[in-house]
Every structure is written in structure tokens, then in C-alpha cells.
Amino acid sequence: MTQKNKIIVEATPYFIEAQSFPNDGRYVFAYTITITNAGDVAVRLMTRHWLITDSNGKIQEVRGDGVIGEQPYLKPGESFRYTSGAMIETPVGTMQGSYSLIADNGDCFNTPIPQFTLSIPRTLH
């Protein structure tokens, strides 16, 4: 069975100790996202929507065009990888969201960004 619009999103977060100041409630994380077009039609990533939640329940909502200033175009089987960052006020938090894409056949659709955990080392077991 084929799927015309199938996008796989994988995330790898990292704690950036050098830019973090725990005494000031500043925890900086980088994350690398890999977006793979596992469908049958080429697509362009148009927008992003993030929900960044710290362990106090504070939510930052981020919307914008593309990712890192680009709107990547992915043919079937191609991947795009980028690294970006987020800052939260607690040592642990989560990120999740979605990308809005448009396929060459005119279909507009959203694909989820699965939730992943932001955590300083040795905080979660």
C-alpha cells in the first residue's frame, strides 16, 4: 500500500549547559529534527507550530514560516535535517507540534511533530 502524503519526523534534543543559567531559571536546549518524505508525492514544508511546555506547566507557542529560514522541498525518499533551539525555565520540559505542508498535487496537510522531552542530564531515569 502506498501513501501519497506520509512524512516521518524524528527529534533528538540536547542540553546546552554553556548557555544555561539554572540559578536564573534559564535552561537552553538544542534539537535536531529530521523530516523524511516517505510518501509518493514531493512536498514543501510551509509553516511550523510548536508547543513548548516546562515542568511548571508554562506553555510557549511558536508559529512561523518554514524552519530555520527555509521552506524545504522534499521529493519522495528525501530527508531534510536542521538544528534549532529552545529555552525553558525548568530543567525538564517537552516540545511537540506540527508542520504544514503542500504537495505537488495541490494537497495541503499537517503532519505531527511527536512530543519529545527536554531534560538536563541525570534528571530523568
Side-chain angles (χ1 to χ4, degrees):
M1 183 177 115
T2 59
Q3 291 186 319
K4 62 180 177 178
N5 298 326
K6 180 176 168 87
I7 305 298
I8 299 169
V9 180
E10 299 170 290
T12 305
Y14 310 89
F15 177 59
I16 309 296
E17 187 172 6
Q19 295 178 22
S20 297
F21 299 95
N23 291 341
D24 297 329
R26 177 185 165 101
Y27 297 86
V28 178
F29 296 88
Y31 52 90
T32 298
I33 301 284
T34 304
I35 304 163
T36 302
N37 183 353
D40 299 331
V41 179
V43 299
R44 181 171 305 279
L45 189 154
M46 301 303 292
T47 64
R48 69 190 182 283
H49 177 219
W50 284 106
L51 295 174
I52 307 162
T53 307
D54 71 18
S55 57
N56 290 330
K58 180 180 177 184
I59 298 173
Q60 301 173 59
E61 188 169 10
V62 178
R63 293 179 184 270
D65 291 338
V67 291
I68 63 166
E70 297 183 45
Q71 290 181 317
Y73 181 77
L74 299 170
K75 295 177 184 170
E78 289 185 338
S79 294
F80 180 80
R81 179 174 288 138
Y82 73 95
T83 299
S84 192
M87 184 182 68
I88 58 176
E89 296 175 359
T90 60
V92 178
T94 61
M95 289 183 69
Q96 64 186 342
S98 63
Y99 295 120
S100 175
L101 301 103
I102 186 166
D104 277 2
N105 64 6
D107 286 352
C108 295
F109 64 99
N110 290 328
T111 195
I113 305 167
Q115 185 179 79
F116 58 94
T117 300
L118 306 172
S119 175
I120 64 172
R122 299 171 297 284
T123 300
L124 297 177
H125 302 282

